[in-house]
Amino acid sequence: MEVIVYNSKGEDTGKKVSLSDEVFGITPNQHAIYLDVKQYLANQRQGTHKAKERAENAHSTRKLKKQKGTGGARAGSAKSPVFVGGGTIFGPRPRDYSFKLNKKVKSLARQSAYAVKAQSNSISVIDSIALEAPRTKDYIQFLNDLNVTGRKTLLILPDVNTNVVLSSRNVQKAKVTTAAQVNTYDLMNADQLLISEEALSTIQTLFQQ
């Protein structure tokens, strides 16, 4: 599959590059994508939620009323969950939500995500992007020139570019990452992938190893 290479002003450079069938041409494995996205979201959870249970409540432990003869149910301390201010029954406890996923499954998930975007024509290749200084309006102009303003975009670069990262940081629905750090969630969450020509070569090399 061949795609047109654009410059940073959204102009056709006259060049075309081939998207490797080994990465972009496979049949997407939807279950692998699901597992990798599920793991990513699980890893974002802090798991620090906590509610006080009966043993941790600060109320007195004295018996509230005599055991018999009141006409009501017997009651012990005010820590009981049936009273206002009492402990919580089966309340949330701190826990780790992360789980293990094999490297081959994660690799297949990323390949599948690239394939999904390729099949929906949601990949644009640019020759390069260079910003002289971190300026938000310059990055907004870059998106305008590529006609992707208002869409969720993921710009994939070969290496970290501080000026580009800082310029995009305050732009809604825009994210910048590198070919080595991209994850399945970001790929699937984006409406349009903007891949630099050099990053495309890096991506295809990574999956051929």
Side-chain angles (χ1 to χ4, degrees):
M1 179 179 179
E2 289 190 337
V3 293
I4 298 171
V5 178
Y6 298 93
N7 61 23
S8 58
K9 294 183 178 180
E11 300 167 341
D12 187 345
T13 61
K15 293 191 300 182
K16 287 187 176 182
V17 293
S18 295
L19 299 181
S20 170
D21 289 338
E22 295 179 7
V23 181
F24 299 91
I26 69 169
T27 300
N29 188 315
Q30 297 294 341
H31 189 60
I33 293 174
Y34 159 75
L35 289 175
D36 202 10
V37 170
K38 180 181 178 181
Q39 187 198 45
Y40 175 85
L41 294 176
N43 290 343
Q44 306 308 302
R45 301 185 69 173
Q46 291 185 327
T48 54
H49 40 30
K50 180 70 176 74
K52 286 187 178 180
E53 299 183 358
R54 182 169 184 153
E56 301 165 313
N57 203 291
H59 283 304
S60 169
T61 58
R62 76 175 181 85
K63 190 169 179 61
L64 297 177
K65 60 183 180 181
K66 62 182 183 177
Q67 181 82 343
K68 295 178 177 291
T70 63
R74 53 196 173 176
S77 74
K79 291 184 177 184
S80 172
V82 301
F83 295 121
V84 174
T88 301
I89 303 174
F90 302 128
R93 296 178 176 180
R95 57 167 289 192
D96 180 10
Y97 285 91
S98 65
F99 61 92
K100 182 180 180 296
L101 202 59
N102 292 337
K103 289 182 179 179
K104 287 186 177 180
V105 175
K106 293 178 71 66
S107 178
L108 176 59
R110 284 195 299 274
Q111 284 178 273
S112 297
Y114 281 123
V116 168
K117 295 303 178 182
Q119 291 173 9
S120 61
N121 295 319
S122 299
I123 295 178
S124 298
V125 178
I126 56 173
D127 56 359
S128 64
I129 174 174
L131 301 180
E132 296 179 357
R135 299 178 65 185
T136 301
K137 68 178 183 179
D138 287 347
Y139 194 79
I140 292 175
Q141 184 61 49
F142 165 72
L143 296 179
N144 287 338
D145 291 339
L146 291 171
N147 293 320
V148 291
T149 304
R151 304 183 68 194
K152 289 182 181 178
T153 60
L154 178 65
L155 175 62
I156 304 176
L157 301 174
D159 300 297
V160 176
N161 186 315
T162 304
N163 285 344
V164 175
V165 172
L166 293 178
S167 298
S168 67
R169 196 162 56 178
N170 285 335
V171 181
Q172 288 186 343
K173 300 181 180 181
K175 187 166 185 177
V176 177
T177 187
T178 64
Q181 295 177 331
V182 67
N183 61 71
T184 304
Y185 175 82
D186 285 339
L187 290 173
M188 295 303 297
N189 189 48
D191 295 325
Q192 188 76 20
L193 301 185
L194 308 176
I195 307 177
S196 76
E197 194 172 357
E198 190 176 346
L200 180 62
S201 176
T202 302
I203 290 168
Q204 296 180 155
T205 302
L206 286 173
F207 284 106
Q208 290 171 355
Q209 293 177 351

